[in-house]
Amino acid sequence: MQSADQVGQVKCGSCAVLLMYPYGASSVRCSSCQFVTEIGEHNKRPPWSVQQGHPPPPANAVHEIAYVRRA
């Protein structure tokens, strides 16, 4: 499962403005020219968090919490 703060990047198919979109979206509308760019395999970018050096946790990651009992 992807975190809500992860975004992808793609250039607008009409005016080439760099667009950001929620990672996993199928398309994004350019705020400059209103062109709708499809997000296909050929133009996907890694999530912003990966580009910043913070890879997402594996989809099947199990989080364990350790409780310490204090005397």
Side-chain angles (χ1 to χ4, degrees), residues 12-65:
C12 174
S14 178
C15 69
V17 166
L18 183 63
L19 305 171
M20 297 176 80
Y21 58 91
Y23 199 69
S26 59
S27 63
V28 61
R29 182 182 304 273
C30 180
S31 60
S32 296
C33 71
Q34 305 304 310
F35 185 82
V36 176
T37 301
E38 297 296 320
I39 310 300
E41 290 301 317
H42 66 284
N43 62 3
K44 283 191 176 178
R45 302 290 190 271
W48 185 246
S49 62
V50 172
Q51 293 181 33
Q52 295 296 307
H54 306 288
N60 60 355
V62 176
H63 300 284
E64 294 182 16
I65 300 174

